[in-house]
Amino acid sequence: MANAPLVSAPQCSKSQSSTVDASRFPIVAAREDGQTSVVTIGDVPFGAGSVPVIAGPCAVESQALIAEGAGLVASLGAAVLRGGAFKPRTSPYSFQGLGMEGLQMMRRAADDAGLPIVTEVLSPELVEAMEPLVDAFQIGARNMHNFPLLEAVGQSEKPVLLKRHFGATITEWILAAEYIADQGNDAIILCERGIRSFGDETRFTFDLAGALWAKSQVRLPVVVDPSHAIGVPELLGAAAAGAVAAGVDGVMVEVHPDRENARCDGAQALNGEQFEALMARVAGAARAVERTIYAG
Ligand code: PEP
Ligand code: MN
């Protein structure tokens, strides 16, 4: 007769849970009713049900190119224009962006195309000067732990798209959101953009599970950026569709009208045809789970 074991088997790993511990995230923790708080960029709501797509080039390169890019993504259904005027580049010798002049170009292009803009801010000193020209500030992955910058956008009136650092835990990412919210600005959208793991076949590792875990913990909308996470244009439609079917609150992708000559992240950008195909694919995925893509 087999004896019952006297001791239970040792735990191989700590147990994971999606139970909300609101004491860790006093401002941004998930609401008891599970509802997402709506954050609007311009007049585009994130977290309201229908799913907005943010699209545009990595960087603003000229008035003509940002105008062409804005017109292209608007005509194919993007709700918000992205693009960097201040670029955080790994190498100091890479194109650093056109600065305030680039931001003015982007504002003009977006107004002509009828889109609001999200663009990266690199330092606390720039927040005040940029604020009148932007509809939302982006905090880039590399600045997720720049606490003075988080506090500066926390004192602004504009919403903040907060990217996850590629070496940050999800808890650290949510605590970065608390830094912003603690200054009075809780209009924050979290953006998963890939984390470092051991392979280099994709640019980073697209952590959809991490985005979903974050969503289970916070009331903030959570969007995904498969362009930086994956880096392979041909895979972005499937990844974006999967994320939309899984319940994320938005998608951000890089689109460039002339990606062979792009000064930044050209290899990962979608051309117009690929962006059109991605939009059709995310719309199909949304329909399959009774959601819609935001269409203005
Ligand atoms: C970007 O969005 O162009 C960018 C620099 O992204 P990340 O901060 O995620 O690298
Ligand atoms: Mn980029």
Side-chain angles (χ1 to χ4, degrees):
M1 195 181 96
N3 288 322
L6 294 176
V7 290
S8 55
Q11 287 279 120
C12 294
S13 65
K14 67 175 182 166
S15 56
Q16 273 75 34
S17 159
S18 64
T19 306
V20 177
D21 178 359
S23 65
R24 289 201 298 174
F25 313 127
I27 307 175
V28 306
R31 293 163 33 155
E32 267 173 31
D33 63 7
Q35 284 277 349
T36 304
S37 301
V38 175
V39 174
T40 57
I41 297 185
D43 59 0
V44 177
F46 287 75
S50 70
V51 184
V53 174
I54 305 169
C58 183
V60 179
E61 299 173 52
S62 69
Q63 185 67 70
L65 269 175
I66 191 65
E68 190 182 348
L72 176 68
V73 300
S75 71
L76 296 173
V80 177
L81 179 66
R82 63 143 291 138
F86 296 90
K87 293 304 302 177
R89 303 307 300 279
T90 302
S91 165
Y93 310 114
S94 300
F95 175 55
Q96 304 286 313
L98 299 178
M100 285 305 289
E101 207 185 325
L103 180 54
Q104 278 150 2
M105 292 174 185
M106 187 179 181
R107 181 75 265 167
R108 280 194 288 273
D111 288 347
D112 289 346
L115 297 178
I117 66 174
V118 58
T119 192
E120 180 159 357
V121 57
L122 280 185
S123 70
E125 298 71 42
L126 284 167
V127 170
E128 210 180 310
M130 289 175 70
E131 184 158 358
L133 290 164
V134 309
D135 297 296
F137 285 113
Q138 177 170 317
I139 299 293
R142 291 158 188 80
N143 268 318
M144 190 208 85
H145 269 151
N146 182 339
F147 300 118
L149 181 59
L150 300 177
E151 287 173 355
V153 293
Q155 287 160 19
S156 90
E157 303 286 322
K158 294 289 167 73
V160 180
L161 184 130
L162 175 64
K163 288 197 162 195
R164 178 185 178 187
H165 187 277
F166 38 80
T169 66
I170 307 159
T171 299
E172 288 166 339
W173 182 27
I174 299 172
L175 286 170
E178 281 286 334
Y179 263 91
I180 298 169
D182 189 44
Q183 295 296 312
N185 184 0
D186 64 356
I188 304 162
I189 299 170
L190 297 181
C191 179
E192 151 59 26
R193 50 76 70 213
I195 53 171
R196 280 248 154 89
S197 61
F198 49 84
D200 64 0
E201 292 80 5
T202 58
R203 187 173 176 190
F204 290 88
T205 294
F206 181 38
D207 191 12
L208 177 57
L212 299 177
W213 192 85
K215 233 184 123 38
S216 76
Q217 297 298 302
V218 299
R219 60 184 171 75
L220 308 175
V222 178
V223 305
V224 295
D225 167 0
S227 291
H228 291 89
I230 301 173
V232 182
E234 293 73 18
L235 302 182
L236 304 187
V244 167
V248 303
D249 300 298
V251 171
M252 176 191 262
V253 285
E254 287 188 343
V255 178
H256 198 291
D258 180 18
R259 67 177 187 203
E260 286 75 22
N261 294 307
R263 298 184 73 184
C264 179
D265 281 353
Q268 74 187 24
L270 300 169
N271 60 28
E273 208 174 298
Q274 289 170 319
F275 181 56
E276 190 171 12
L278 177 140
M279 290 301 285
R281 202 156 178 181
V282 292
R287 265 197 308 279
V289 295
E290 290 171 11
R291 307 184 78 195
T292 52
I293 299 301
Y294 180 83

